[in-house]
Amino acid sequence: NAGVTQTPKFRVLKTGQSMTLLCAQDMNHEYMYWYRQDPGMGLRLIHYSVGEGTTAKGEVPDGYNVSRLKKQNFLLGLESAAPSQTSVYFCASSSHRPVRTRHSNQPQHFGDGTRLSIL
Amino acid sequence: TQLLEQSPQFLSIQEGENLTVYCNSSSVFSSLQWYRQEPGEGPVLLVTVVTGGEVKKLKRLTFQFGDARKDSSLHITAAQPGDTGLYLCAGADGDRYNNNDMRFGAGTRLTVKP
């Protein structure tokens, strides 16, 4: 069971270049998330999706775009990379619990990250 | 937006020692989670606490949620080198338990020396 798979694992870009980070999950989860992790700042939510065809902004969305064309895939795009976007990017997914049984947050399943450096 | 402060930032101990790490905020959480992250990997959920004063045990790890639901602690008994990692707390406010409302602390980096 692969869980959440992120590609690529490492990438170096020059300022102004564009790229797309890929995330795939095989757990049939409704919800997917993109985070960035920076030293001393913890994980910060960039964008998220509650289902196929829907996306929403998180805490730090500027400079990023996302798409969820298929339920199992969530793509993160950088149209014009900037040095401030140097970070480790994590994708996560979680299931959706029916409202009547909700009493806590669903666990998030994370990928192993993409280390992105922008020169 | 709630700010979660974790302490200490770094902790290095010998195998067999006990330790406690903390997660504090001025906000009240509806739900709080602890994750462990190993180098080169993503975080893995250890536990979720939702009730003030709640205590959960996971083998040698004991998690406590503060009575006022503003803070939490993680106590490890007889630490082992396999406990080495970054321990993250994440809390959500509101009553909808949406993961997009979760905010993560910066973590405590624990090293257990053999």
Side-chain angles (χ1 to χ4, degrees), chain A residues 21-117:
Chain A
L21 280 63
L22 310 179
C23 176
Q25 53 95 3
D26 62 3
M27 296 172 282
N28 200 35
H29 284 166
E30 288 290 336
Y31 295 164
M32 297 188 74
Y33 315 85
W34 274 107
Y35 291 90
R36 59 178 290 173
Q37 186 175 37
D38 302 292
M41 300 190 72
L43 288 157
R44 290 182 292 169
L45 184 65
I46 303 171
H47 286 279
Y48 65 98
S49 169
V50 300
E52 182 180 324
T54 66
T55 63
K57 294 180 179 180
E59 186 182 0
V60 288
D62 294 343
Y64 306 95
N65 56 76
V66 289
S67 63
R68 184 99 181 269
L69 299 179
K70 294 183 178 180
K71 184 177 182 179
Q72 63 268 33
N73 297 333
F74 195 27
L75 280 58
L76 177 70
L78 286 74
E79 290 187 349
S80 180
S84 61
Q85 294 177 304
T86 292
S87 187
V88 182
Y89 291 85
F90 287 96
C91 175
S93 69
S94 68
S95 65
H96 171 65
R97 179 179 289 167
V99 173
R100 62 181 173 83
T101 64
R102 257 188 213 168
H103 60 274
S104 69
N105 286 78
Q106 287 284 0
Q108 295 186 63
H109 300 261
F110 287 84
D112 287 339
T114 295
R115 186 172 296 276
L116 182 61
S117 295

